[in-house]
Amino acid sequence: MTALARIEHEIGRKLTRMTSLETARVSAQQTAEALGSYDPGPERSEIEQQSSQLQQQLSDAQAEKQQLIRQVGTLDQQIADLESEVSSIRSEESTLRDRALREDPIAAAETTVEARELGRRADALEVQASNLDARRSVLGPQIEALDVRIAAIDARLAILSQAGAAVTAEAQRSMMESSEARERAQEFAAELATLASEISALHQDEAQAALTEARQALEKAVSTGRRANADVADGTLVAAGASRSLGDLLARRAASLSQTASIFSGVADRGQGDQARRLSNLADQLSQRADSLKGDAISAYESAASGLRRVRAQGDTRAALQDAADNLDRAIERLGGSSASDDDWSGEQPADGGTPAGDSDESGSEMGPDLAEVKMHIAGPKAPVVGIVTRNERCTAGSRAAGFVRHIEVDVSNTPLAGSFVPGQSFGVHAPGEDHRGRPHALRLYSIASPSAGEDGNGGVIATTVKRLIDENAAGPGLHLGVTSNYLCDLQPGDELKLS
Protein backbone atom coordinates (compact mmCIF):
# COMPACT_ATOMS: atom_id res chain seq x y z
CA MET A 1 0.00 0.00 0.00
CA THR A 2 1.37 3.40 -0.98
CA ALA A 3 1.79 6.26 1.48
CA LEU A 4 -1.13 8.08 -0.16
CA ALA A 5 -3.36 5.00 0.12
CA ARG A 6 -2.44 4.60 3.80
CA ILE A 7 -3.30 8.24 4.50
CA GLU A 8 -6.60 7.91 2.62
CA HIS A 9 -7.42 4.80 4.65
CA GLU A 10 -6.64 6.63 7.90
CA ILE A 11 -8.81 9.58 6.82
CA GLY A 12 -11.66 7.17 6.00
CA ARG A 13 -11.29 5.43 9.38
CA LYS A 14 -11.37 8.73 11.27
CA LEU A 15 -14.36 9.96 9.25
CA THR A 16 -16.20 6.75 10.15
CA ARG A 17 -15.33 7.30 13.82
CA MET A 18 -16.45 10.93 13.47
CA THR A 19 -19.82 9.83 12.09
CA SER A 20 -20.29 7.38 14.97
CA LEU A 21 -19.27 10.02 17.50
CA GLU A 22 -21.70 12.53 16.02
CA THR A 23 -24.51 9.98 16.31
CA ALA A 24 -23.56 9.41 19.96
CA ARG A 25 -23.26 13.17 20.60
CA VAL A 26 -26.71 13.88 19.15
CA SER A 27 -28.17 11.00 21.19
CA ALA A 28 -26.57 12.31 24.40
CA GLN A 29 -27.72 15.86 23.62
CA GLN A 30 -31.29 14.67 23.04
CA THR A 31 -31.17 12.71 26.30
CA ALA A 32 -29.92 15.78 28.18
CA GLU A 33 -32.66 17.94 26.68
CA ALA A 34 -35.37 15.36 27.44
CA LEU A 35 -34.24 14.96 31.05
CA GLY A 36 -33.66 18.69 31.48
CA SER A 37 -37.17 19.48 30.31
CA TYR A 38 -38.74 17.56 33.22
CA ASP A 39 -40.69 20.09 35.34
CA PRO A 40 -41.84 18.79 38.74
CA GLY A 41 -43.84 21.99 39.39
CA PRO A 42 -47.26 20.78 38.15
CA GLU A 43 -46.97 17.49 40.07
CA ARG A 44 -45.87 19.28 43.23
CA SER A 45 -48.70 21.79 42.87
CA GLU A 46 -51.26 18.98 42.49
CA ILE A 47 -49.86 17.14 45.52
CA GLU A 48 -49.87 20.32 47.64
CA GLN A 49 -53.44 21.12 46.60
CA GLN A 50 -54.67 17.64 47.52
CA SER A 51 -52.71 17.76 50.81
CA SER A 52 -54.26 21.13 51.67
CA GLN A 53 -57.76 19.78 51.05
CA LEU A 54 -57.08 16.69 53.15
CA GLN A 55 -55.61 18.78 55.97
CA GLN A 56 -58.82 20.84 56.04
CA GLN A 57 -60.91 17.65 56.07
CA LEU A 58 -58.73 16.28 58.88
CA SER A 59 -59.13 19.47 60.92
CA ASP A 60 -62.92 19.43 60.45
CA ALA A 61 -63.16 15.75 61.45
CA GLN A 62 -61.01 16.28 64.54
CA ALA A 63 -63.11 19.31 65.56
CA GLU A 64 -66.31 17.32 65.08
CA LYS A 65 -64.89 14.47 67.15
CA GLN A 66 -63.94 16.83 69.98
CA GLN A 67 -67.45 18.29 69.93
CA LEU A 68 -69.00 14.81 70.19
CA ILE A 69 -66.63 13.90 73.01
CA ARG A 70 -67.70 17.02 74.89
CA GLN A 71 -71.36 16.08 74.36
CA VAL A 72 -70.70 12.60 75.72
CA GLY A 73 -68.97 14.14 78.74
CA THR A 74 -71.96 16.42 79.35
CA LEU A 75 -74.37 13.50 79.06
CA ASP A 76 -72.22 11.43 81.43
CA GLN A 77 -72.41 14.19 84.02
CA GLN A 78 -76.17 14.68 83.59
CA ILE A 79 -76.81 10.93 83.90
CA ALA A 80 -74.60 10.74 86.99
CA ASP A 81 -76.48 13.64 88.60
CA LEU A 82 -79.83 12.06 87.82
CA GLU A 83 -78.74 8.69 89.15
CA SER A 84 -77.50 10.36 92.35
CA GLU A 85 -80.79 12.20 92.76
CA VAL A 86 -82.78 9.00 92.06
CA SER A 87 -80.73 7.18 94.67
CA SER A 88 -81.43 9.89 97.26
CA ILE A 89 -85.16 9.90 96.47
CA ARG A 90 -85.37 6.09 96.62
CA SER A 91 -83.65 6.17 100.00
CA GLU A 92 -86.14 8.76 101.29
CA GLU A 93 -89.03 6.73 99.85
CA SER A 94 -87.82 3.63 101.65
CA THR A 95 -87.56 5.56 104.90
CA LEU A 96 -91.14 6.79 104.59
CA ARG A 97 -92.49 3.31 103.87
CA ASP A 98 -90.68 1.93 106.93
CA ARG A 99 -92.15 4.72 109.09
CA ALA A 100 -95.67 4.05 107.77
CA LEU A 101 -95.43 0.54 109.14
CA ARG A 102 -94.96 1.87 112.66
CA GLU A 103 -97.65 4.61 112.51
CA ASP A 104 -101.38 4.42 113.17
CA PRO A 105 -103.55 3.82 110.12
CA ILE A 106 -104.42 7.45 109.45
CA ALA A 107 -100.80 8.67 109.72
CA ALA A 108 -99.56 5.60 107.85
CA ALA A 109 -101.92 6.42 104.96
CA GLU A 110 -100.55 9.95 104.71
CA THR A 111 -96.95 8.70 104.87
CA THR A 112 -97.66 6.09 102.21
CA VAL A 113 -99.09 8.75 99.86
CA GLU A 114 -95.95 10.84 100.37
CA ALA A 115 -93.75 7.81 99.70
CA ARG A 116 -95.65 7.05 96.48
CA GLU A 117 -95.11 10.65 95.30
CA LEU A 118 -91.41 10.25 95.89
CA GLY A 119 -91.47 6.93 93.96
CA ARG A 120 -93.19 8.51 90.99
CA ARG A 121 -90.65 11.33 91.02
CA ALA A 122 -87.77 8.81 91.09
CA ASP A 123 -89.37 6.86 88.21
CA ALA A 124 -89.56 10.06 86.14
CA LEU A 125 -85.91 10.81 86.86
CA GLU A 126 -84.91 7.27 85.86
CA VAL A 127 -86.77 7.64 82.54
CA GLN A 128 -84.95 10.93 81.96
CA ALA A 129 -81.61 9.26 82.74
CA SER A 130 -82.47 6.38 80.41
CA ASN A 131 -83.21 8.85 77.58
CA LEU A 132 -79.87 10.57 78.16
CA ASP A 133 -78.12 7.18 78.11
CA ALA A 134 -79.79 6.38 74.78
CA ARG A 135 -78.48 9.67 73.38
CA ARG A 136 -75.02 8.84 74.69
CA SER A 137 -75.05 5.41 73.08
CA VAL A 138 -75.77 7.04 69.67
CA LEU A 139 -72.76 9.34 69.99
CA GLY A 140 -70.30 6.43 70.52
CA PRO A 141 -70.57 4.99 66.97
CA GLN A 142 -70.36 8.50 65.53
CA ILE A 143 -67.06 9.02 67.34
CA GLU A 144 -65.78 5.62 66.09
CA ALA A 145 -66.76 6.54 62.50
CA LEU A 146 -64.86 9.81 62.86
CA ASP A 147 -61.81 7.85 64.11
CA VAL A 148 -61.92 5.68 60.96
CA ARG A 149 -62.27 8.77 58.77
CA ILE A 150 -59.35 10.49 60.50
CA ALA A 151 -57.17 7.38 60.06
CA ALA A 152 -58.05 7.24 56.33
CA ILE A 153 -57.17 10.92 55.90
CA ASP A 154 -53.86 10.38 57.72
CA ALA A 155 -53.07 7.45 55.40
CA ARG A 156 -53.81 9.52 52.29
CA LEU A 157 -51.66 12.35 53.64
CA ALA A 158 -48.80 9.87 54.19
CA ILE A 159 -49.16 8.62 50.60
CA LEU A 160 -49.11 12.19 49.27
CA SER A 161 -46.03 12.92 51.36
CA GLN A 162 -44.27 9.91 49.83
CA ALA A 163 -45.37 11.04 46.35
CA GLY A 164 -43.96 14.50 47.00
CA ALA A 165 -40.66 12.99 48.12
CA ALA A 166 -40.62 10.78 45.00
CA VAL A 167 -41.22 13.80 42.74
CA THR A 168 -38.38 15.67 44.44
CA ALA A 169 -36.07 12.66 44.09
CA GLU A 170 -37.04 12.23 40.41
CA ALA A 171 -36.36 15.91 39.76
CA GLN A 172 -32.94 15.63 41.38
CA ARG A 173 -32.16 12.41 39.50
CA SER A 174 -33.28 13.91 36.18
CA MET A 175 -31.17 16.99 36.81
CA MET A 176 -28.13 14.84 37.66
CA GLU A 177 -28.57 12.51 34.66
CA SER A 178 -29.22 15.49 32.39
CA SER A 179 -25.96 17.00 33.59
CA GLU A 180 -24.15 13.69 32.98
CA ALA A 181 -25.63 13.38 29.47
CA ARG A 182 -24.66 16.99 28.75
CA GLU A 183 -21.11 16.25 29.92
CA ARG A 184 -20.98 13.19 27.65
CA ALA A 185 -22.20 15.31 24.74
CA GLN A 186 -19.46 17.84 25.51
CA GLU A 187 -16.87 15.05 25.67
CA PHE A 188 -18.05 13.73 22.30
CA ALA A 189 -17.96 17.27 20.90
CA ALA A 190 -14.39 17.72 22.18
CA GLU A 191 -13.34 14.42 20.57
CA LEU A 192 -15.07 15.51 17.35
CA ALA A 193 -13.04 18.72 17.40
CA THR A 194 -9.85 16.70 17.94
CA LEU A 195 -10.76 14.36 15.07
CA ALA A 196 -11.49 17.33 12.82
CA SER A 197 -8.03 18.74 13.56
CA GLU A 198 -6.41 15.33 12.96
CA ILE A 199 -8.29 14.89 9.68
CA SER A 200 -7.27 18.38 8.54
CA ALA A 201 -3.65 17.53 9.32
CA LEU A 202 -4.00 14.22 7.45
CA HIS A 203 -5.28 16.10 4.41
CA GLN A 204 -2.09 18.14 4.50
CA ASP A 205 -0.10 14.90 4.63
CA GLU A 206 -2.31 13.63 1.81
CA ALA A 207 -1.40 16.65 -0.28
CA GLN A 208 2.30 16.01 0.32
CA ALA A 209 1.94 12.30 -0.53
CA ALA A 210 -0.01 13.15 -3.69
CA LEU A 211 2.72 15.62 -4.65
CA THR A 212 5.32 12.91 -4.12
CA GLU A 213 3.40 10.47 -6.32
CA ALA A 214 2.95 13.18 -8.96
CA ARG A 215 6.70 13.83 -8.98
CA GLN A 216 7.41 10.11 -9.27
CA ALA A 217 4.96 9.85 -12.17
CA LEU A 218 6.60 12.87 -13.83
CA GLU A 219 10.10 11.42 -13.38
CA LYS A 220 8.89 8.15 -14.86
CA ALA A 221 7.35 10.02 -17.79
CA VAL A 222 10.58 11.95 -18.39
CA SER A 223 12.58 8.73 -18.29
CA THR A 224 10.17 7.05 -20.70
CA GLY A 225 10.26 10.09 -22.98
CA ARG A 226 14.03 9.94 -23.17
CA ARG A 227 13.83 6.30 -24.20
CA ALA A 228 11.40 7.23 -26.98
CA ASN A 229 14.34 8.36 -29.12
CA ALA A 230 12.80 11.75 -29.73
CA ASP A 231 9.84 10.22 -31.55
CA VAL A 232 7.18 12.96 -31.49
CA ALA A 233 4.22 10.61 -31.28
CA ASP A 234 5.76 8.58 -28.47
CA GLY A 235 6.72 11.73 -26.60
CA THR A 236 3.21 13.11 -26.94
CA LEU A 237 1.74 9.87 -25.64
CA VAL A 238 4.12 9.92 -22.67
CA ALA A 239 3.08 13.51 -21.87
CA ALA A 240 -0.58 12.57 -22.22
CA GLY A 241 -0.08 9.66 -19.84
CA ALA A 242 1.61 11.93 -17.32
CA SER A 243 -1.28 14.40 -17.55
CA ARG A 244 -3.74 11.54 -17.11
CA SER A 245 -1.93 10.33 -13.98
CA LEU A 246 -1.85 13.87 -12.60
CA GLY A 247 -5.57 14.24 -13.31
CA ASP A 248 -6.27 10.97 -11.49
CA LEU A 249 -4.35 12.16 -8.43
CA LEU A 250 -6.12 15.52 -8.42
CA ALA A 251 -9.55 13.93 -8.86
CA ARG A 252 -8.75 11.49 -6.09
CA ARG A 253 -7.80 14.29 -3.70
CA ALA A 254 -10.86 16.33 -4.72
CA ALA A 255 -13.14 13.38 -3.91
CA SER A 256 -11.41 12.89 -0.52
CA LEU A 257 -11.79 16.58 0.38
CA SER A 258 -15.43 16.63 -0.79
CA GLN A 259 -16.26 13.64 1.42
CA THR A 260 -14.65 15.28 4.46
CA ALA A 261 -16.36 18.60 3.70
CA SER A 262 -19.73 16.84 3.49
CA ILE A 263 -19.27 15.12 6.88
CA PHE A 264 -17.94 18.30 8.52
CA SER A 265 -20.90 20.25 7.15
CA GLY A 266 -23.40 17.66 8.44
CA VAL A 267 -21.85 17.71 11.94
CA ALA A 268 -21.84 21.53 11.92
CA ASP A 269 -25.51 21.69 10.90
CA ARG A 270 -26.49 19.56 13.90
CA GLY A 271 -24.21 21.38 16.34
CA GLN A 272 -24.14 24.86 17.78
CA GLY A 273 -21.73 27.41 19.18
CA ASP A 274 -18.14 28.18 18.24
CA GLN A 275 -17.25 24.57 17.42
CA ALA A 276 -20.10 24.29 14.90
CA ARG A 277 -19.01 27.56 13.28
CA ARG A 278 -15.40 26.38 13.07
CA LEU A 279 -16.48 23.08 11.50
CA SER A 280 -18.70 24.95 9.05
CA ASN A 281 -15.80 27.21 8.08
CA LEU A 282 -13.52 24.17 7.69
CA ALA A 283 -16.14 22.48 5.51
CA ASP A 284 -16.37 25.58 3.31
CA GLN A 285 -12.59 25.76 2.98
CA LEU A 286 -12.31 22.04 2.13
CA SER A 287 -15.15 22.35 -0.38
CA GLN A 288 -13.41 25.29 -2.07
CA ARG A 289 -10.14 23.36 -2.20
CA ALA A 290 -12.00 20.36 -3.66
CA ASP A 291 -13.57 22.57 -6.34
CA SER A 292 -10.15 24.03 -7.14
CA LEU A 293 -8.64 20.54 -7.41
CA LYS A 294 -11.50 19.46 -9.66
CA GLY A 295 -10.64 22.37 -11.94
CA ASP A 296 -6.98 21.34 -11.95
CA ALA A 297 -7.97 17.73 -12.66
CA ILE A 298 -10.14 18.88 -15.57
CA SER A 299 -7.20 20.86 -16.98
CA ALA A 300 -4.93 17.81 -16.65
CA TYR A 301 -7.48 15.54 -18.36
CA GLU A 302 -8.03 18.10 -21.11
CA SER A 303 -4.28 18.26 -21.68
CA ALA A 304 -4.10 14.45 -21.83
CA ALA A 305 -7.06 14.24 -24.24
CA SER A 306 -5.57 16.96 -26.45
CA GLY A 307 -2.25 15.09 -26.58
CA LEU A 308 -4.00 11.87 -27.55
CA ARG A 309 -5.87 13.62 -30.34
CA ARG A 310 -2.69 15.14 -31.74
CA VAL A 311 -0.98 11.79 -32.25
CA ARG A 312 -0.94 10.43 -35.81
CA ALA A 313 -2.20 6.87 -35.72
CA GLN A 314 -4.18 4.38 -37.75
CA GLY A 315 -6.25 1.23 -37.43
CA ASP A 316 -6.58 -0.32 -33.99
CA THR A 317 -4.08 2.08 -32.51
CA ARG A 318 -6.09 5.07 -33.61
CA ALA A 319 -9.32 3.52 -32.25
CA ALA A 320 -7.67 2.89 -28.90
CA LEU A 321 -6.47 6.49 -28.72
CA GLN A 322 -9.96 7.69 -29.65
CA ASP A 323 -11.45 5.57 -26.87
CA ALA A 324 -8.90 6.85 -24.36
CA ALA A 325 -9.69 10.46 -25.31
CA ASP A 326 -13.43 9.78 -25.02
CA ASN A 327 -12.90 8.29 -21.57
CA LEU A 328 -11.06 11.42 -20.51
CA ASP A 329 -13.95 13.52 -21.83
CA ARG A 330 -16.35 11.55 -19.66
CA ALA A 331 -14.08 11.98 -16.65
CA ILE A 332 -14.08 15.74 -17.31
CA GLU A 333 -17.88 15.74 -17.44
CA ARG A 334 -18.10 13.83 -14.14
CA LEU A 335 -15.95 16.49 -12.55
CA GLY A 336 -18.27 19.22 -13.85
CA GLY A 337 -16.22 20.35 -16.90
CA SER A 338 -17.08 20.50 -20.60
CA SER A 339 -15.53 17.83 -22.79
CA ALA A 340 -14.05 18.43 -26.25
CA SER A 341 -15.93 17.17 -29.32
CA ASP A 342 -14.71 14.59 -31.80
CA ASP A 343 -14.10 17.44 -34.26
CA ASP A 344 -10.90 18.23 -32.37
CA TRP A 345 -9.19 15.37 -34.17
CA SER A 346 -6.87 16.47 -36.93
CA GLY A 347 -8.17 15.91 -40.42
CA GLU A 348 -4.79 14.85 -41.71
CA GLN A 349 -4.71 11.63 -43.75
CA PRO A 350 -2.11 9.10 -42.61
CA ALA A 351 0.60 8.37 -45.13
CA ASP A 352 -0.49 4.74 -45.54
CA GLY A 353 -4.09 5.62 -46.37
CA GLY A 354 -5.54 4.59 -42.97
CA THR A 355 -8.69 5.93 -41.39
CA PRO A 356 -8.89 9.75 -41.60
CA ALA A 357 -8.26 11.47 -38.29
CA GLY A 358 -11.62 13.26 -38.50
CA ASP A 359 -13.62 9.98 -38.31
CA SER A 360 -14.86 8.90 -34.92
CA ASP A 361 -15.16 5.45 -33.44
CA GLU A 362 -18.54 4.69 -31.86
CA SER A 363 -17.34 1.83 -29.72
CA GLY A 364 -16.43 4.11 -26.79
CA SER A 365 -15.47 2.36 -23.60
CA GLU A 366 -17.12 3.16 -20.26
CA MET A 367 -13.73 3.36 -18.55
CA GLY A 368 -12.81 6.65 -16.93
CA PRO A 369 -9.99 7.66 -14.64
CA ASP A 370 -8.80 5.27 -11.95
CA LEU A 371 -11.98 5.48 -9.90
CA ALA A 372 -13.19 2.60 -7.77
CA GLU A 373 -15.17 0.00 -9.69
CA VAL A 374 -18.62 -0.52 -8.15
CA LYS A 375 -19.52 -4.22 -8.04
CA MET A 376 -23.05 -5.35 -7.23
CA HIS A 377 -24.90 -8.58 -6.47
CA ILE A 378 -21.68 -10.45 -5.68
CA ALA A 379 -23.47 -12.75 -3.21
CA GLY A 380 -27.23 -12.97 -3.76
CA PRO A 381 -29.87 -13.59 -1.05
CA LYS A 382 -30.21 -17.21 -2.18
CA ALA A 383 -26.47 -17.85 -1.84
CA PRO A 384 -25.27 -15.79 1.15
CA VAL A 385 -21.71 -15.90 2.43
CA VAL A 386 -20.57 -16.28 6.04
CA GLY A 387 -18.82 -13.42 7.83
CA ILE A 388 -17.27 -13.38 11.31
CA VAL A 389 -17.83 -10.56 13.81
CA THR A 390 -14.51 -9.04 14.92
CA ARG A 391 -15.78 -6.05 16.85
CA ASN A 392 -19.08 -4.93 18.42
CA GLU A 393 -18.96 -1.87 20.65
CA ARG A 394 -21.51 0.63 21.89
CA CYS A 395 -21.34 4.20 20.53
CA THR A 396 -23.79 5.70 23.03
CA ALA A 397 -23.36 5.85 26.80
CA GLY A 398 -25.58 6.18 29.83
CA SER A 399 -28.67 4.34 31.07
CA ARG A 400 -30.99 7.12 29.97
CA ALA A 401 -29.70 7.58 26.39
CA ALA A 402 -32.41 8.20 23.79
CA GLY A 403 -31.18 5.22 21.72
CA PHE A 404 -28.62 2.41 21.61
CA VAL A 405 -26.17 2.60 18.69
CA ARG A 406 -23.38 0.05 18.08
CA HIS A 407 -20.39 -0.05 15.73
CA ILE A 408 -20.03 -3.55 14.25
CA GLU A 409 -17.13 -4.90 12.17
CA VAL A 410 -17.34 -8.14 10.15
CA ASP A 411 -14.47 -10.14 8.62
CA VAL A 412 -15.31 -11.07 5.00
CA SER A 413 -11.73 -11.82 3.93
CA ASN A 414 -12.56 -15.41 2.96
CA THR A 415 -15.61 -14.46 0.88
CA PRO A 416 -16.16 -12.89 -2.57
CA LEU A 417 -17.10 -9.65 -0.76
CA ALA A 418 -13.48 -9.01 0.22
CA GLY A 419 -12.13 -5.95 -1.56
CA SER A 420 -15.32 -5.65 -3.62
CA PHE A 421 -17.12 -2.80 -1.84
CA VAL A 422 -17.04 0.97 -1.72
CA PRO A 423 -18.46 3.32 0.93
CA GLY A 424 -22.16 3.95 0.48
CA GLN A 425 -22.99 0.43 -0.73
CA SER A 426 -25.13 -1.87 1.39
CA PHE A 427 -24.87 -5.47 2.52
CA GLY A 428 -27.77 -7.70 3.50
CA VAL A 429 -28.10 -9.54 6.83
CA HIS A 430 -30.03 -12.81 7.18
CA ALA A 431 -31.35 -13.03 10.75
CA PRO A 432 -31.89 -16.65 11.87
CA GLY A 433 -35.34 -18.00 12.69
CA GLU A 434 -38.81 -17.51 11.23
CA ASP A 435 -41.54 -14.87 11.44
CA HIS A 436 -45.09 -15.38 12.74
CA ARG A 437 -46.09 -16.89 9.39
CA GLY A 438 -43.40 -19.55 9.58
CA ARG A 439 -41.26 -17.93 6.86
CA PRO A 440 -37.57 -16.94 7.13
CA HIS A 441 -37.08 -13.38 8.38
CA ALA A 442 -36.89 -10.81 5.59
CA LEU A 443 -33.44 -9.67 4.43
CA ARG A 444 -32.37 -6.33 5.97
CA LEU A 445 -29.85 -3.96 4.30
CA TYR A 446 -27.24 -1.94 6.22
CA SER A 447 -24.97 0.77 4.80
CA ILE A 448 -21.24 0.11 4.70
CA ALA A 449 -19.44 2.58 6.97
CA SER A 450 -15.89 1.69 5.89
CA PRO A 451 -13.39 3.10 3.38
CA SER A 452 -12.77 1.08 0.24
CA ALA A 453 -9.71 -0.49 1.87
CA GLY A 454 -11.90 -1.76 4.72
CA GLU A 455 -11.31 -1.45 8.44
CA ASP A 456 -8.14 -3.54 8.18
CA GLY A 457 -6.65 -1.62 5.24
CA ASN A 458 -6.78 -4.72 3.01
CA GLY A 459 -10.46 -4.79 2.09
CA GLY A 460 -11.16 -7.77 4.33
CA VAL A 461 -13.23 -6.18 7.11
CA ILE A 462 -16.42 -4.15 6.64
CA ALA A 463 -18.26 -2.10 9.25
CA THR A 464 -21.70 -0.66 9.82
CA THR A 465 -23.41 1.38 12.52
CA VAL A 466 -26.69 -0.09 13.85
CA LYS A 467 -29.34 1.46 16.10
CA ARG A 468 -31.13 -1.12 18.25
CA LEU A 469 -34.85 -0.85 17.39
CA ILE A 470 -37.02 -0.73 20.53
CA ASP A 471 -40.45 0.83 20.03
CA GLU A 472 -44.02 0.72 21.31
CA ASN A 473 -46.12 -2.12 19.93
CA ALA A 474 -48.89 -0.57 17.83
CA ALA A 475 -50.80 -3.88 17.84
CA GLY A 476 -51.17 -4.09 21.60
CA PRO A 477 -49.37 -3.85 24.96
CA GLY A 478 -45.64 -4.40 25.33
CA LEU A 479 -42.67 -3.35 23.20
CA HIS A 480 -41.74 -4.11 19.58
CA LEU A 481 -38.14 -5.30 19.17
CA GLY A 482 -36.57 -5.10 15.70
CA VAL A 483 -35.49 -8.62 14.74
CA THR A 484 -32.37 -7.95 12.68
CA SER A 485 -31.11 -4.84 14.49
CA ASN A 486 -31.27 -6.59 17.88
CA TYR A 487 -29.74 -9.74 16.36
CA LEU A 488 -26.77 -7.68 15.10
CA CYS A 489 -26.41 -5.70 18.33
CA ASP A 490 -26.31 -8.93 20.38
CA LEU A 491 -23.56 -10.61 18.30
CA GLN A 492 -20.19 -11.16 19.98
CA PRO A 493 -16.70 -11.23 18.40
CA GLY A 494 -16.23 -14.66 16.86
CA ASP A 495 -19.93 -15.14 16.01
CA GLU A 496 -20.82 -15.99 12.42
CA LEU A 497 -23.58 -14.38 10.36
CA LYS A 498 -24.90 -14.75 6.83
CA LEU A 499 -24.38 -11.82 4.43
CA SER A 500 -25.49 -10.94 0.90
Side-chain angles (χ1 to χ4, degrees):
M1 184 184 296
T2 65
L4 179 59
R6 284 195 296 272
I7 292 172
E8 289 174 338
H9 170 71
E10 184 65 13
I11 290 173
R13 190 182 68 81
K14 289 184 179 294
L15 286 175
T16 300
R17 174 61 178 165
M18 196 171 187
T19 302
S20 299
L21 272 176
E22 174 60 9
T23 301
R25 186 198 68 79
V26 171
S27 177
Q29 185 65 35
Q30 291 174 344
T31 299
E33 291 173 356
L35 292 172
S37 64
Y38 173 63
D39 180 14
E43 292 181 72
R44 285 175 177 167
S45 177
E46 178 66 22
I47 290 172
E48 290 172 358
Q49 183 179 0
Q50 292 184 25
S51 296
S52 178
Q53 294 174 353
L54 288 175
Q55 287 288 359
Q56 184 61 46
Q57 294 176 16
L58 179 63
S59 178
D60 294 343
Q62 289 174 339
E64 186 177 354
K65 177 184 175 181
Q66 290 301 319
Q67 184 179 3
L68 291 178
I69 290 175
R70 286 193 296 270
Q71 291 180 16
V72 169
T74 300
L75 290 173
D76 286 342
Q77 184 62 44
Q78 291 176 351
I79 291 172
D81 292 344
L82 288 173
E83 287 176 344
S84 176
E85 187 176 357
V86 167
S87 177
S88 176
I89 292 173
R90 292 293 186 192
S91 176
E92 186 178 353
E93 177 189 6
S94 178
T95 300
L96 289 176
R97 289 186 182 280
D98 289 340
R99 191 179 70 184
L101 293 175
R102 295 190 299 272
E103 293 177 339
D104 58 75
I106 296 174
E110 292 178 353
T111 301
T112 300
V113 170
E114 185 179 354
R116 287 176 180 173
E117 287 295 330
L118 288 175
R120 284 194 292 270
R121 181 182 173 192
D123 291 342
L125 289 176
E126 286 179 345
V127 170
Q128 186 177 353
S130 178
N131 290 335
L132 290 177
D133 185 60
R135 287 177 59 190
R136 183 179 60 181
S137 64
V138 171
L139 293 178
Q142 292 181 4
I143 293 174
E144 291 176 358
L146 284 172
D147 285 335
V148 173
R149 183 180 176 190
I150 289 171
I153 293 174
D154 284 335
R156 292 181 62 188
L157 284 171
I159 292 173
L160 287 175
S161 177
Q162 293 175 356
V167 169
T168 300
E170 179 65 19
Q172 294 174 346
R173 183 168 55 252
S174 295
M175 185 178 299
M176 181 181 65
E177 293 183 355
S178 174
S179 178
E180 292 174 353
R182 192 171 290 107
E183 289 177 0
R184 288 197 303 273
Q186 291 172 352
E187 291 173 0
F188 292 145
E191 189 172 350
L192 282 170
T194 301
L195 278 175
S197 300
E198 292 175 354
I199 291 170
S200 297
L202 282 172
H203 276 303
Q204 295 177 359
D205 296 340
E206 180 188 37
Q208 188 61 41
L211 180 60
T212 300
E213 287 198 12
R215 286 174 177 168
Q216 292 173 352
L218 181 59
E219 290 172 358
K220 182 178 179 181
V222 171
S223 176
T224 304
R226 288 172 180 167
R227 291 196 302 270
N229 296 323
D231 184 282
V232 175
D234 288 348
T236 302
L237 286 174
V238 170
S243 296
R244 166 67 181 273
S245 298
L246 178 60
D248 290 346
L249 281 172
L250 293 171
R252 189 168 159 185
R253 280 216 64 220
S256 177
L257 291 172
S258 294
Q259 182 186 19
T260 301
S262 176
I263 292 177
F264 279 15
S265 179
V267 173
D269 290 342
R270 291 186 292 271
Q272 56 186 357
D274 293 338
Q275 180 176 322
R277 284 191 290 273
R278 284 195 295 270
L279 272 180
S280 180
N281 291 335
L282 270 176
D284 291 341
Q285 294 171 11
L286 292 174
S287 182
Q288 291 172 3
R289 286 166 58 190
D291 290 340
S292 177
L293 287 174
K294 285 180 182 178
D296 294 341
I298 290 172
S299 298
Y301 285 147
E302 287 175 344
S303 177
S306 176
L308 292 175
R309 292 189 173 100
R310 287 198 305 271
V311 175
R312 292 172 177 267
Q314 59 183 351
D316 293 340
T317 301
R318 185 184 183 285
L321 293 176
Q322 172 71 51
D323 289 345
D326 290 344
N327 291 336
L328 288 171
D329 285 341
R330 282 188 283 273
I332 291 169
E333 290 173 354
R334 284 195 292 271
L335 290 171
S338 300
S339 63
S341 67
D342 290 338
D343 294 338
D344 289 339
W345 283 88
S346 170
E348 297 181 6
Q349 181 73 25
D352 59 358
T355 305
D359 294 345
S360 64
D361 183 48
E362 297 179 355
S363 61
S365 169
E366 291 301 321
M367 292 179 59
D370 291 339
L371 300 178
E373 178 184 358
V374 179
K375 300 178 181 179
M376 299 179 66
H377 310 303
I378 299 171
K382 294 184 179 179
V385 299
V386 176
I388 300 175
V389 176
T390 60
R391 185 179 181 187
N392 188 340
E393 63 180 16
R394 186 172 174 177
C395 300
T396 53
S399 61
R400 297 292 296 270
F404 304 96
V405 182
R406 303 191 71 85
H407 176 77
I408 302 171
E409 297 180 5
V410 182
D411 184 357
V412 295
S413 56
N414 294 322
T415 73
L417 299 181
S420 301
F421 56 84
V422 296
Q425 283 189 295
S426 300
F427 64 90
V429 176
H430 300 255
E434 298 177 340
D435 60 18
H436 63 282
R437 295 173 294 184
R439 302 176 183 176
H441 290 299
L443 180 70
R444 290 291 182 265
L445 298 179
Y446 292 88
S447 296
I448 295 176
S450 304
S452 299
E455 298 296 313
D456 59 343
N458 296 314
V461 179
I462 60 176
T464 189
T465 303
V466 181
K467 180 178 181 181
R468 188 187 291 273
L469 177 58
I470 303 176
D471 202 354
E472 293 184 354
N473 190 352
L479 294 175
H480 169 70
L481 303 180
V483 174
T484 309
S485 66
N486 282 277
Y487 164 67
L488 280 175
C489 290
D490 292 339
L491 289 174
Q492 300 296 318
D495 289 346
E496 295 183 347
L497 71 161
K498 293 182 179 181
L499 306 175
S500 296

